PDB file of all heavy atoms in Angstrom:
ATOM      1  N   VAL A   1     169.403 133.898 160.301  1.00 96.00           N
ATOM      2  CA  VAL A   1     168.885 132.864 161.200  1.00 96.00           C
ATOM      3  C   VAL A   1     168.670 133.499 162.575  1.00 96.00           C
ATOM      4  O   VAL A   1     169.623 133.983 163.193  1.00 96.00           O
ATOM      5  CB  VAL A   1     169.835 131.648 161.305  1.00 96.00           C
ATOM      6  CG1 VAL A   1     169.277 130.626 162.303  1.00 96.00           C
ATOM      7  CG2 VAL A   1     170.016 130.999 159.938  1.00 96.00           C
ATOM      8  N   PHE A   2     167.425 133.497 163.027  1.00 97.00           N
ATOM      9  CA  PHE A   2     167.042 134.147 164.276  1.00 97.00           C
ATOM     10  C   PHE A   2     166.611 133.088 165.295  1.00 97.00           C
ATOM     11  O   PHE A   2     166.270 131.959 164.934  1.00 97.00           O
ATOM     12  CB  PHE A   2     165.901 135.144 164.022  1.00 97.00           C
ATOM     13  CG  PHE A   2     166.266 136.241 163.051  1.00 97.00           C
ATOM     14  CD1 PHE A   2     166.263 136.011 161.676  1.00 97.00           C
ATOM     15  CD2 PHE A   2     166.619 137.494 163.499  1.00 97.00           C
ATOM     16  CE1 PHE A   2     166.610 137.013 160.769  1.00 97.00           C
ATOM     17  CE2 PHE A   2     166.965 138.510 162.601  1.00 97.00           C
ATOM     18  CZ  PHE A   2     166.964 138.260 161.249  1.00 97.00           C
ATOM     19  N   ALA A   3     166.608 133.447 166.565  1.00 97.00           N
ATOM     20  CA  ALA A   3     166.209 132.508 167.620  1.00 97.00           C
ATOM     21  C   ALA A   3     165.392 133.240 168.670  1.00 97.00           C
ATOM     22  O   ALA A   3     165.616 134.433 168.932  1.00 97.00           O
ATOM     23  CB  ALA A   3     167.435 131.850 168.259  1.00 97.00           C
ATOM     24  N   CYS A   4     164.467 132.524 169.297  1.00 96.00           N
ATOM     25  CA  CYS A   4     163.640 133.130 170.334  1.00 96.00           C
ATOM     26  C   CYS A   4     163.020 132.051 171.213  1.00 96.00           C
ATOM     27  O   CYS A   4     162.925 130.883 170.839  1.00 96.00           O
ATOM     28  CB  CYS A   4     162.523 133.977 169.714  1.00 96.00           C
ATOM     29  SG  CYS A   4     161.482 133.073 168.539  1.00 96.00           S
ATOM     30  N   GLY A   5     162.586 132.478 172.408  1.00 94.00           N
ATOM     31  CA  GLY A   5     161.919 131.542 173.318  1.00 94.00           C
ATOM     32  C   GLY A   5     162.879 130.630 174.044  1.00 94.00           C
ATOM     33  O   GLY A   5     164.063 130.950 174.222  1.00 94.00           O
ATOM     34  N   ASN A   6     162.399 129.460 174.422  1.00 95.00           N
ATOM     35  CA  ASN A   6     163.189 128.554 175.250  1.00 95.00           C
ATOM     36  C   ASN A   6     164.336 127.883 174.513  1.00 95.00           C
ATOM     37  O   ASN A   6     165.191 127.274 175.143  1.00 95.00           O
ATOM     38  CB  ASN A   6     162.284 127.481 175.864  1.00 95.00           C
ATOM     39  CG  ASN A   6     161.523 127.997 177.067  1.00 95.00           C
ATOM     40  OD1 ASN A   6     161.682 129.149 177.485  1.00 95.00           O
ATOM     41  ND2 ASN A   6     160.690 127.172 177.650  1.00 95.00           N
ATOM     42  N   VAL A   7     164.371 127.980 173.187  1.00 96.00           N
ATOM     43  CA  VAL A   7     165.521 127.458 172.458  1.00 96.00           C
ATOM     44  C   VAL A   7     166.736 128.366 172.679  1.00 96.00           C
ATOM     45  O   VAL A   7     167.880 127.959 172.510  1.00 96.00           O
ATOM     46  CB  VAL A   7     165.216 127.311 170.947  1.00 96.00           C
ATOM     47  CG1 VAL A   7     165.347 128.654 170.214  1.00 96.00           C
ATOM     48  CG2 VAL A   7     166.122 126.286 170.294  1.00 96.00           C
ATOM     49  N   LEU A   8     166.462 129.596 173.068  1.00 95.00           N
ATOM     50  CA  LEU A   8     167.502 130.603 173.295  1.00 95.00           C
ATOM     51  C   LEU A   8     167.984 130.567 174.735  1.00 95.00           C
ATOM     52  O   LEU A   8     169.179 130.501 175.003  1.00 95.00           O
ATOM     53  CB  LEU A   8     166.932 131.968 172.933  1.00 95.00           C
ATOM     54  CG  LEU A   8     167.834 133.177 172.905  1.00 95.00           C
ATOM     55  CD1 LEU A   8     168.992 132.950 171.975  1.00 95.00           C
ATOM     56  CD2 LEU A   8     167.017 134.407 172.470  1.00 95.00           C
ATOM     57  N   HIS A   9     167.064 130.635 175.661  1.00 94.00           N
ATOM     58  CA  HIS A   9     167.337 130.460 177.096  1.00 94.00           C
ATOM     59  C   HIS A   9     166.015 130.139 177.769  1.00 94.00           C
ATOM     60  O   HIS A   9     164.954 130.567 177.315  1.00 94.00           O
ATOM     61  CB  HIS A   9     168.007 131.701 177.715  1.00 94.00           C
ATOM     62  CG  HIS A   9     167.212 132.970 177.593  1.00 94.00           C
ATOM     63  ND1 HIS A   9     167.203 133.959 178.558  1.00 94.00           N
ATOM     64  CD2 HIS A   9     166.392 133.443 176.612  1.00 94.00           C
ATOM     65  CE1 HIS A   9     166.426 134.956 178.166  1.00 94.00           C
ATOM     66  NE2 HIS A   9     165.921 134.673 177.015  1.00 94.00           N
ATOM     67  N   VAL A  10     166.066 129.391 178.847  1.00 92.00           N
ATOM     68  CA  VAL A  10     164.849 128.901 179.494  1.00 92.00           C
ATOM     69  C   VAL A  10     164.178 130.036 180.254  1.00 92.00           C
ATOM     70  O   VAL A  10     164.766 130.629 181.161  1.00 92.00           O
ATOM     71  CB  VAL A  10     165.161 127.719 180.428  1.00 92.00           C
ATOM     72  CG1 VAL A  10     163.888 127.262 181.130  1.00 92.00           C
ATOM     73  CG2 VAL A  10     165.769 126.557 179.636  1.00 92.00           C
ATOM     74  N   HIS A  11     162.938 130.318 179.874  1.00 92.00           N
ATOM     75  CA  HIS A  11     162.173 131.394 180.493  1.00 92.00           C
ATOM     76  C   HIS A  11     161.399 130.893 181.696  1.00 92.00           C
ATOM     77  O   HIS A  11     161.135 129.693 181.836  1.00 92.00           O
ATOM     78  CB  HIS A  11     161.182 131.998 179.489  1.00 92.00           C
ATOM     79  CG  HIS A  11     161.835 132.812 178.414  1.00 92.00           C
ATOM     80  ND1 HIS A  11     162.614 132.262 177.437  1.00 92.00           N
ATOM     81  CD2 HIS A  11     161.827 134.153 178.164  1.00 92.00           C
ATOM     82  CE1 HIS A  11     163.054 133.229 176.634  1.00 92.00           C
ATOM     83  NE2 HIS A  11     162.589 134.367 177.049  1.00 92.00           N
ATOM     84  N   ASP A  12     160.964 131.832 182.533  1.00 86.00           N
ATOM     85  CA  ASP A  12     160.066 131.487 183.635  1.00 86.00           C
ATOM     86  C   ASP A  12     158.616 131.832 183.296  1.00 86.00           C
ATOM     87  O   ASP A  12     157.705 131.181 183.792  1.00 86.00           O
ATOM     88  CB  ASP A  12     160.484 132.167 184.939  1.00 86.00           C
ATOM     89  CG  ASP A  12     160.739 133.673 184.788  1.00 86.00           C
ATOM     90  OD1 ASP A  12     160.604 134.201 183.664  1.00 86.00           O
ATOM     91  OD2 ASP A  12     161.093 134.324 185.785  1.00 86.00           O
ATOM     92  N   LEU A  13     158.395 132.839 182.438  1.00 89.00           N
ATOM     93  CA  LEU A  13     157.040 133.239 182.066  1.00 89.00           C
ATOM     94  C   LEU A  13     156.874 133.198 180.551  1.00 89.00           C
ATOM     95  O   LEU A  13     157.717 133.713 179.818  1.00 89.00           O
ATOM     96  CB  LEU A  13     156.733 134.654 182.558  1.00 89.00           C
ATOM     97  CG  LEU A  13     156.730 134.872 184.085  1.00 89.00           C
ATOM     98  CD1 LEU A  13     156.483 136.338 184.396  1.00 89.00           C
ATOM     99  CD2 LEU A  13     155.694 134.003 184.762  1.00 89.00           C
ATOM    100  N   VAL A  14     155.766 132.616 180.108  1.00 93.00           N
ATOM    101  CA  VAL A  14     155.511 132.517 178.670  1.00 93.00           C
ATOM    102  C   VAL A  14     155.249 133.900 178.071  1.00 93.00           C
ATOM    103  O   VAL A  14     155.482 134.123 176.874  1.00 93.00           O
ATOM    104  CB  VAL A  14     154.345 131.544 178.381  1.00 93.00           C
ATOM    105  CG1 VAL A  14     153.008 132.162 178.776  1.00 93.00           C
ATOM    106  CG2 VAL A  14     154.327 131.133 176.921  1.00 93.00           C
ATOM    107  N   ASP A  15     154.782 134.837 178.875  1.00 93.00           N
ATOM    108  CA  ASP A  15     154.561 136.193 178.391  1.00 93.00           C
ATOM    109  C   ASP A  15     155.857 136.798 177.826  1.00 93.00           C
ATOM    110  O   ASP A  15     155.848 137.503 176.824  1.00 93.00           O
ATOM    111  CB  ASP A  15     154.027 137.072 179.515  1.00 93.00           C
ATOM    112  CG  ASP A  15     152.802 136.483 180.205  1.00 93.00           C
ATOM    113  OD1 ASP A  15     152.920 135.402 180.810  1.00 93.00           O
ATOM    114  OD2 ASP A  15     151.728 137.073 180.128  1.00 93.00           O
ATOM    115  N   PHE A  16     156.983 136.512 178.499  1.00 93.00           N
ATOM    116  CA  PHE A  16     158.282 137.003 178.012  1.00 93.00           C
ATOM    117  C   PHE A  16     158.691 136.283 176.723  1.00 93.00           C
ATOM    118  O   PHE A  16     159.342 136.863 175.859  1.00 93.00           O
ATOM    119  CB  PHE A  16     159.358 136.823 179.079  1.00 93.00           C
ATOM    120  CG  PHE A  16     159.176 137.690 180.295  1.00 93.00           C
ATOM    121  CD1 PHE A  16     159.553 137.235 181.549  1.00 93.00           C
ATOM    122  CD2 PHE A  16     158.620 138.957 180.188  1.00 93.00           C
ATOM    123  CE1 PHE A  16     159.394 138.029 182.670  1.00 93.00           C
ATOM    124  CE2 PHE A  16     158.455 139.763 181.317  1.00 93.00           C
ATOM    125  CZ  PHE A  16     158.845 139.302 182.540  1.00 93.00           C
ATOM    126  N   VAL A  17     158.324 135.007 176.620  1.00 95.00           N
ATOM    127  CA  VAL A  17     158.606 134.250 175.395  1.00 95.00           C
ATOM    128  C   VAL A  17     157.939 134.936 174.202  1.00 95.00           C
ATOM    129  O   VAL A  17     158.565 135.158 173.159  1.00 95.00           O
ATOM    130  CB  VAL A  17     158.113 132.787 175.522  1.00 95.00           C
ATOM    131  CG1 VAL A  17     158.150 132.078 174.167  1.00 95.00           C
ATOM    132  CG2 VAL A  17     158.939 132.021 176.543  1.00 95.00           C
ATOM    133  N   SER A  18     156.666 135.277 174.365  1.00 95.00           N
ATOM    134  CA  SER A  18     155.928 135.922 173.278  1.00 95.00           C
ATOM    135  C   SER A  18     156.555 137.262 172.907  1.00 95.00           C
ATOM    136  O   SER A  18     156.702 137.593 171.732  1.00 95.00           O
ATOM    137  CB  SER A  18     154.459 136.128 173.676  1.00 95.00           C
ATOM    138  OG  SER A  18     153.836 134.902 173.995  1.00 95.00           O
ATOM    139  N   GLU A  19     156.928 138.030 173.921  1.00 94.00           N
ATOM    140  CA  GLU A  19     157.532 139.350 173.684  1.00 94.00           C
ATOM    141  C   GLU A  19     158.841 139.218 172.903  1.00 94.00           C
ATOM    142  O   GLU A  19     159.089 139.950 171.942  1.00 94.00           O
ATOM    143  CB  GLU A  19     157.773 140.023 175.036  1.00 94.00           C
ATOM    144  CG  GLU A  19     158.298 141.437 174.964  1.00 94.00           C
ATOM    145  CD  GLU A  19     158.563 141.970 176.377  1.00 94.00           C
ATOM    146  OE1 GLU A  19     157.649 141.899 177.229  1.00 94.00           O
ATOM    147  OE2 GLU A  19     159.691 142.430 176.626  1.00 94.00           O
ATOM    148  N   GLU A  20     159.674 138.281 173.325  1.00 95.00           N
ATOM    149  CA  GLU A  20     160.963 138.041 172.680  1.00 95.00           C
ATOM    150  C   GLU A  20     160.779 137.530 171.247  1.00 95.00           C
ATOM    151  O   GLU A  20     161.489 137.940 170.329  1.00 95.00           O
ATOM    152  CB  GLU A  20     161.734 137.014 173.515  1.00 95.00           C
ATOM    153  CG  GLU A  20     163.192 136.853 173.202  1.00 95.00           C
ATOM    154  CD  GLU A  20     163.803 135.881 174.205  1.00 95.00           C
ATOM    155  OE1 GLU A  20     163.760 134.662 173.953  1.00 95.00           O
ATOM    156  OE2 GLU A  20     164.289 136.325 175.239  1.00 95.00           O
ATOM    157  N   ALA A  21     159.801 136.644 171.062  1.00 96.00           N
ATOM    158  CA  ALA A  21     159.530 136.069 169.747  1.00 96.00           C
ATOM    159  C   ALA A  21     159.040 137.134 168.766  1.00 96.00           C
ATOM    160  O   ALA A  21     159.361 137.096 167.578  1.00 96.00           O
ATOM    161  CB  ALA A  21     158.507 134.947 169.867  1.00 96.00           C
ATOM    162  N   GLU A  22     158.257 138.071 169.257  1.00 96.00           N
ATOM    163  CA  GLU A  22     157.784 139.153 168.382  1.00 96.00           C
ATOM    164  C   GLU A  22     158.945 139.988 167.861  1.00 96.00           C
ATOM    165  O   GLU A  22     158.957 140.391 166.697  1.00 96.00           O
ATOM    166  CB  GLU A  22     156.769 140.013 169.122  1.00 96.00           C
ATOM    167  CG  GLU A  22     155.419 139.308 169.250  1.00 96.00           C
ATOM    168  CD  GLU A  22     154.448 140.020 170.152  1.00 96.00           C
ATOM    169  OE1 GLU A  22     154.876 140.821 171.003  1.00 96.00           O
ATOM    170  OE2 GLU A  22     153.242 139.751 170.030  1.00 96.00           O
ATOM    171  N   ARG A  23     159.928 140.233 168.716  1.00 95.00           N
ATOM    172  CA  ARG A  23     161.131 140.939 168.260  1.00 95.00           C
ATOM    173  C   ARG A  23     161.830 140.153 167.158  1.00 95.00           C
ATOM    174  O   ARG A  23     162.250 140.719 166.139  1.00 95.00           O
ATOM    175  CB  ARG A  23     162.089 141.167 169.433  1.00 95.00           C
ATOM    176  CG  ARG A  23     161.726 142.341 170.310  1.00 95.00           C
ATOM    177  CD  ARG A  23     162.524 142.368 171.586  1.00 95.00           C
ATOM    178  NE  ARG A  23     163.965 142.264 171.394  1.00 95.00           N
ATOM    179  CZ  ARG A  23     164.814 141.952 172.383  1.00 95.00           C
ATOM    180  NH1 ARG A  23     164.360 141.683 173.600  1.00 95.00           N
ATOM    181  NH2 ARG A  23     166.100 141.907 172.146  1.00 95.00           N
ATOM    182  N   ALA A  24     161.936 138.831 167.353  1.00 96.00           N
ATOM    183  CA  ALA A  24     162.585 137.986 166.342  1.00 96.00           C
ATOM    184  C   ALA A  24     161.803 138.019 165.034  1.00 96.00           C
ATOM    185  O   ALA A  24     162.391 138.125 163.947  1.00 96.00           O
ATOM    186  CB  ALA A  24     162.709 136.547 166.852  1.00 96.00           C
ATOM    187  N   GLY A  25     160.468 137.940 165.122  1.00 97.00           N
ATOM    188  CA  GLY A  25     159.630 137.966 163.928  1.00 97.00           C
ATOM    189  C   GLY A  25     159.730 139.283 163.179  1.00 97.00           C
ATOM    190  O   GLY A  25     159.855 139.320 161.944  1.00 97.00           O
ATOM    191  N   GLN A  26     159.699 140.392 163.918  1.00 96.00           N
ATOM    192  CA  GLN A  26     159.807 141.718 163.299  1.00 96.00           C
ATOM    193  C   GLN A  26     161.161 141.899 162.613  1.00 96.00           C
ATOM    194  O   GLN A  26     161.237 142.397 161.482  1.00 96.00           O
ATOM    195  CB  GLN A  26     159.615 142.794 164.362  1.00 96.00           C
ATOM    196  CG  GLN A  26     158.188 142.886 164.900  1.00 96.00           C
ATOM    197  CD  GLN A  26     158.110 143.590 166.238  1.00 96.00           C
ATOM    198  OE1 GLN A  26     159.119 144.018 166.791  1.00 96.00           O
ATOM    199  NE2 GLN A  26     156.906 143.705 166.784  1.00 96.00           N
ATOM    200  N   ASN A  27     162.228 141.453 163.286  1.00 95.00           N
ATOM    201  CA  ASN A  27     163.565 141.628 162.723  1.00 95.00           C
ATOM    202  C   ASN A  27     163.807 140.698 161.535  1.00 95.00           C
ATOM    203  O   ASN A  27     164.499 141.068 160.583  1.00 95.00           O
ATOM    204  CB  ASN A  27     164.622 141.404 163.806  1.00 95.00           C
ATOM    205  CG  ASN A  27     164.633 142.528 164.836  1.00 95.00           C
ATOM    206  OD1 ASN A  27     164.537 143.700 164.488  1.00 95.00           O
ATOM    207  ND2 ASN A  27     164.733 142.189 166.108  1.00 95.00           N
ATOM    208  N   ALA A  28     163.227 139.483 161.583  1.00 96.00           N
ATOM    209  CA  ALA A  28     163.336 138.577 160.439  1.00 96.00           C
ATOM    210  C   ALA A  28     162.621 139.173 159.229  1.00 96.00           C
ATOM    211  O   ALA A  28     163.111 139.080 158.097  1.00 96.00           O
ATOM    212  CB  ALA A  28     162.746 137.208 160.795  1.00 96.00           C
TER     213      ALA A  28
END
C-alpha cells in the first residue's frame, strides 16, 4: 500500500505532487 500527493502531506506546488506520485507508481 503506497501513498503520494496531498493525502501524504499538503504540498505547495502540484509539480512536486506529480514527482512524488511517479516515485509511488514506479515502486508499486
Side-chain angles (χ1 to χ4, degrees):
V1 177
F2 300 79
C4 55
N6 281 358
V7 81
L8 188 56
H9 59 145
V10 178
H11 289 69
D12 49 359
L13 296 177
V14 73
D15 307 63
F16 293 146
V17 169
S18 301
E19 184 183 308
E20 193 175 87
E22 285 171 338
R23 280 169 51 196
Q26 290 160 0
N27 290 318

